[in-house]
Amino acid sequence: MTLTEAAIFIKSGYKYVLAALVGIVALWMFVGFLISSFQKIHPTIETPTLSFGKIPRPTLPVNATAKLAFVLDTVDGRLPLLPTVLPVYQFVFPTPNLLDQDRAKNLAADFGFTSAPKSADNQNFTYTDPKNPAQQITINSTNKNFELLTTNYSDPVINKTPPSDALDDIVSGARSILKSHSLLPVDLAKSTAKVSYKKISGGTLLPANSISEANFARVDIFRDGVAGYPIVEPRTDQALVSLLLSGGRQERTTIAGLGYTYWQFLIDGSGTYPLLSAQAALDQLKAGQGSLVSPLTATFSEVRIKDIKVAYFQAKNYQPYLQPIYLFSGVANPQSGPEITVTFYLPAIDPAQFSQ
């Protein structure tokens, strides 16, 4: 074979090798496309662990929707793709301890309440401050949740001027108060917070239209989510951890109210449970199984559902598990007034997994 013939042979060989490589790549892409298409049509179904067996339903707010009509009105007219299985987390059960009353007493004293406690059930203890009879604090000695409240806003001891700080500074100050009393867990430290202004009217508090007519600033601190989903509470506009603050110079005169309900759950050792499909959830909502959470009262008869999302729900009272629920959001036309936004909660777990 001459050099010329050899060169021609090598060039021909390159062409065949290149053609083979192109064919292999094309075949690989085609196989990948087939696998991807098959997975979309036949997605892998995760098998739930059901680690806790049958579990109780979440204690959602009682506000049935049986008399309402629902119309699906999403952007594309379709139901969203939602997960089929999600984790359920176990809340830490608060067990009584011989030192509970002493710890409750110390917590009360930490906020300046030094009177002898009063209790009607040997678990919830109420303390007052002899120097400030317009306020009291009630502490559950077992779970350490508590409520500090003002019983008489007209008392001259109560500062009635709201903080003049910027909103971020008000939130930062609220978190500083919690931290100084060892009441700022990680999932409250940088979570979403909301500031609203309140005014005194007839001995109670009402929303203030502006800071100029306000007496206090309320700070609601919501906890961080879990598993990529938010944690919601009985009311969409109020958190279970909130502070009512005035513009006082000292902490004792700054706090006009403080509600603290915090349930710790175990992030490890969760169990997974099957969820209702989006269609089944919508059907249950139409059947009156949901809970209206915003607004608190229905002044409308029909709701156009705009979106369905997943969240986790924690109640004010103890419940064994932190479990997913569905959030239905939509719009409605009240009997009088402009169109409003409405929100409903619905248990997300397949009802077959509930013990009640």
Side-chain angles (χ1 to χ4, degrees):
M1 179 183 291
T2 64
L3 291 176
T4 301
E5 291 173 336
I8 293 173
F9 177 78
I10 291 173
K11 288 182 180 180
S12 298
Y14 280 151
K15 291 180 181 179
Y16 289 122
V17 171
L18 181 60
L21 289 175
V22 171
I24 291 172
V25 171
L27 180 61
W28 178 79
M29 294 178 64
F30 179 68
V31 172
F33 171 77
L34 291 178
I35 293 174
S36 177
S37 299
F38 181 83
Q39 289 177 339
K40 288 181 179 179
I41 299 173
H42 305 282
T44 301
I45 299 176
E46 180 182 351
T47 302
T49 63
L50 306 177
S51 303
F52 308 119
K54 302 282 187 178
I55 62 176
R57 292 177 179 271
T59 52
L60 299 179
V62 179
N63 201 350
T65 59
K67 296 182 179 181
L68 299 178
F70 297 91
V71 177
L72 184 65
D73 191 21
T74 56
V75 173
D76 59 3
R78 299 178 181 179
L79 291 166
L81 292 176
L82 299 173
T84 58
V85 175
L86 276 180
V88 167
Y89 302 91
Q90 192 169 22
F91 279 107
V92 176
F93 181 76
T95 55
N97 187 290
L98 292 176
L99 299 177
D100 282 345
Q101 292 188 26
D102 289 337
R103 290 169 179 165
K105 179 180 178 180
N106 292 338
L107 177 60
D110 203 23
F111 281 100
F113 295 89
T114 57
S115 67
K118 296 180 180 180
S119 174
D121 56 10
N122 294 321
Q123 189 174 38
N124 294 287
F125 294 85
T126 299
Y127 304 79
T128 56
D129 178 4
K131 298 179 181 180
N132 186 2
Q135 290 188 332
Q136 66 182 36
I137 186 171
T138 300
I139 303 173
N140 185 296
S141 61
T142 301
N143 57 45
K144 308 304 180 295
N145 291 331
F146 66 91
E147 183 177 22
L148 188 164
L149 56 84
T150 296
T151 57
N152 181 12
Y153 291 109
S154 63
D155 193 294
V157 175
I158 304 301
N159 188 313
K160 303 174 184 63
T161 304
S164 58
D165 303 332
L167 297 184
D168 288 345
D169 293 333
I170 294 176
V171 172
S172 178
R175 285 197 168 103
S176 294
I177 290 174
L178 295 178
K179 185 176 181 180
S180 68
H181 295 279
S182 300
L183 296 171
L184 190 67
V186 174
D187 56 354
L188 293 179
K190 295 183 179 180
S191 59
T192 300
K194 183 190 74 170
V195 177
S196 57
Y197 290 99
K198 304 295 180 181
K199 65 179 180 180
I200 302 171
S201 177
T204 61
L205 295 182
L206 295 177
N209 295 322
S210 65
I211 189 173
S212 61
E213 69 173 13
N215 300 112
F216 308 104
R218 175 179 169 125
V219 183
D220 287 275
I221 302 178
F222 301 88
R223 68 192 299 176
D224 277 336
V226 64
Y229 298 98
I231 294 177
V232 298
E233 300 172 347
R235 290 188 56 167
T236 58
D237 60 336
Q238 294 184 5
L240 294 180
V241 174
S242 65
L243 297 90
L244 189 68
L245 304 176
S246 72
R249 294 176 178 243
Q250 299 179 348
E251 180 184 290
R252 187 65 186 87
T253 58
T254 296
I255 304 175
L258 201 171
Y260 191 88
T261 298
Y262 182 84
W263 303 109
Q264 181 182 358
F265 61 89
L266 303 174
I267 197 68
D268 297 325
S270 63
T272 55
Y273 281 75
L275 306 189
L276 282 170
S277 67
Q279 183 61 60
L282 180 60
D283 291 342
Q284 285 208 359
L285 183 69
K286 291 179 177 180
Q289 300 301 309
S291 296
L292 174 64
V293 292
S294 179
L296 298 179
T297 303
T299 57
F300 43 84
S301 58
E302 182 178 276
V303 179
R304 302 196 309 278
I305 297 299
K306 295 289 188 178
D307 197 13
I308 307 173
K309 295 181 179 179
V310 175
Y312 280 81
F313 177 76
Q314 69 164 356
K316 183 173 179 60
N317 296 322
Y318 173 79
Q319 59 181 4
Y321 302 101
L322 179 69
Q323 55 179 288
I325 65 169
Y326 284 133
L327 271 61
F328 289 85
S329 58
V331 293
N333 294 100
Q335 297 171 356
S336 61
E339 184 178 80
I340 61 173
T341 300
V342 295
T343 304
F344 301 85
Y345 291 169
L346 181 85
I349 290 179
D350 186 332
Q353 304 305 324
F354 288 137
S355 57
Q356 56 184 20

